[in-house]
Amino acid sequence: MLEHGGRLRQAAAHYAIPLADWLDLSTGINPLGWPVPPLPAACWQRLPEDDDSLQEIAAAAYGHPAPLPLPGSQAAIQTLPYLLPAGPVAVLAPCYAEHAHAFVVAGRAPQRFAADQLEDVAGRAHVVVLANPNNPDGEVFAPQRLAAAAARLAAHGGWLVVDEAFGDATPELSLTGSVDALPRTLPENADNTIVLRSLGKFYGLAGARVGFALAPPALRNALRELIGPWPVSGPARLAAAGALADRDWQAATRARLARDSARLAALLAPFGAVRCTTLFCWLPLAEAPALHAALARRGILTRRFDDPCGLRFGLPGVEAEWQRLAAALAAIAKESVMEHVKEQGA
């Protein structure tokens, strides 16, 4: 149950609560995602074509000349260890666990580093991997700091990989658009930054399995060859193009998510020092297992982490879900098992 969020069937079986009765806050996915319209029947009957409008729409959305469509950014995460240069690898800790796992599977044991060690590892690692905003703890990196780290890596042939799966809600933090604008004191071939984007979180289209790699041409082409033809289905391409082109929905959603994030932070504040992005809140807590179980007994699934110990809460959607979470937290706060939690958070 702890490997990824969204394992609702496992939770339903474990706690003997029907699947339909759960409030799933374990994934950080926008619960009010982009409304996919009915799709034409032909998209189910024909092979997807890569000369449709998707790449051009994604290029405008991401500020990159040639985003490579992927069957989710996970495809790049699993493939990049075989394409990036040999040598020391450093992965932010904590971070989305698949990054470190992919390098381990490729026979490249990564060093783990804390956010305040970025400049140090950029001076000696050959590959540096991080997420911005970071999952699960919500750490953020200024684009200028990341560009400086990329420049430092480029000085010895190193690469920077930035996972921006949660980045669409805060485009001001994104490196997209600045990938081709690293300091021009570097050689023209020193473009050594890879940015990964996903439609699963902000757009709420996790089931479509659509992501993009924004990378230099040679690496982009190598990645395309390894992943193979037709990586994104025709229906998923249509949904992705519609979502990426809908600027009015994006603007309204960013405003709503900011409000909802602040609301969630206020609900969690009595339990400890909470850190929120616009799509999830991180609650570091020694008693995370107890709080996780107490919520699960009430049919509310959160994402539990053991290292570091804490819970990640996604956003509720409709008002009834907000009220349900608020009532559950209030009830738990009164239970004797949580008295110690409140004292530790004070």
Side-chain angles (χ1 to χ4, degrees):
M1 284 180 62
L2 302 184
E3 183 180 356
H4 292 290
R7 295 189 178 276
L8 204 55
R9 285 182 171 81
Q10 287 186 14
H14 182 80
Y15 290 96
I17 297 174
L19 196 65
D21 294 343
W22 282 85
L23 171 56
D24 185 5
L25 306 180
S26 68
T27 65
I29 294 170
N30 179 2
L32 303 175
W34 188 73
V36 181
L39 300 177
C43 74
W44 300 99
Q45 299 161 350
R46 297 172 55 87
L47 286 171
E49 298 178 272
D50 59 10
D51 57 353
D52 59 10
S53 61
L54 177 58
Q55 190 172 59
E56 290 74 18
I57 291 172
Y62 294 142
H64 186 274
L68 176 65
L70 302 168
S73 55
Q74 183 66 35
I77 291 171
Q78 293 183 210
T79 307
L80 286 174
Y82 302 96
L83 298 177
L84 293 171
V89 177
V91 178
L92 182 67
C95 193
Y96 178 54
E98 291 290 345
H99 288 289
H101 178 69
F103 280 95
V104 169
V105 169
R108 306 178 63 178
Q111 169 197 350
R112 310 308 299 271
F113 72 94
D116 61 3
Q117 297 173 316
L118 173 60
E119 288 74 16
D120 177 55
V121 297
R124 50 191 171 81
H126 289 192
V127 179
V128 172
V129 182
L130 56 85
N132 191 37
N134 189 43
N135 171 27
D137 67 354
E139 181 76 47
V140 296
F141 298 84
Q144 297 82 356
R145 186 181 179 197
L146 295 180
R152 192 166 190 184
L153 281 156
H156 57 270
W159 285 72
L160 176 67
V161 180
V162 182
D163 184 343
E164 293 185 357
F166 288 95
D168 294 274
T170 50
E172 67 276 8
L173 293 175
S174 178
L175 264 183
T176 61
S178 65
V179 170
D180 294 326
L182 295 176
R184 287 300 96 194
T185 54
L186 299 174
E188 287 297 323
N189 62 356
D191 189 354
N192 63 330
T193 305
I194 301 166
V195 176
L196 304 179
R197 299 298 290 258
S198 170
L199 268 71
K201 308 303 184 182
F202 174 78
Y203 294 98
L205 297 177
R209 307 306 303 136
V210 182
F212 292 88
L214 319 181
L219 188 136
R220 193 168 63 241
N221 291 337
L223 186 57
R224 180 189 291 111
E225 287 298 315
L226 282 180
I227 290 175
W230 312 298
V232 180
S233 72
R237 291 181 73 96
L238 281 174
L244 289 170
D246 194 341
R247 301 302 177 87
D248 290 341
W249 181 90
Q250 294 163 23
T253 298
R254 289 186 182 108
R256 176 183 60 79
L257 291 175
R259 294 191 300 269
D260 287 354
S261 176
R263 183 178 181 181
L264 181 58
L267 285 178
L268 298 176
F271 295 91
V274 63
R275 173 193 274 171
C276 292
T277 73
T278 48
L279 282 163
F280 64 83
C281 286
W282 166 249
L283 180 64
L285 199 65
E287 292 79 3
L291 180 54
H292 177 271
L295 287 165
R297 288 193 295 271
R298 292 166 169 83
I300 299 175
L301 186 62
T302 57
R303 177 74 162 88
R304 173 183 150 197
F305 293 82
D306 293 329
D307 184 21
C309 196
L311 294 183
R312 191 189 67 197
F313 288 74
L315 298 172
V318 299
E319 183 60 28
E321 294 175 345
W322 282 99
Q323 295 299 329
R324 180 178 175 184
L325 176 61
L329 291 172
I332 291 168
K334 294 178 181 178
E335 294 179 352
S336 59
V337 69
M338 294 307 299
E339 288 303 315
H340 179 63
V341 175
K342 292 193 291 182
E343 292 171 5
Q344 292 296 309

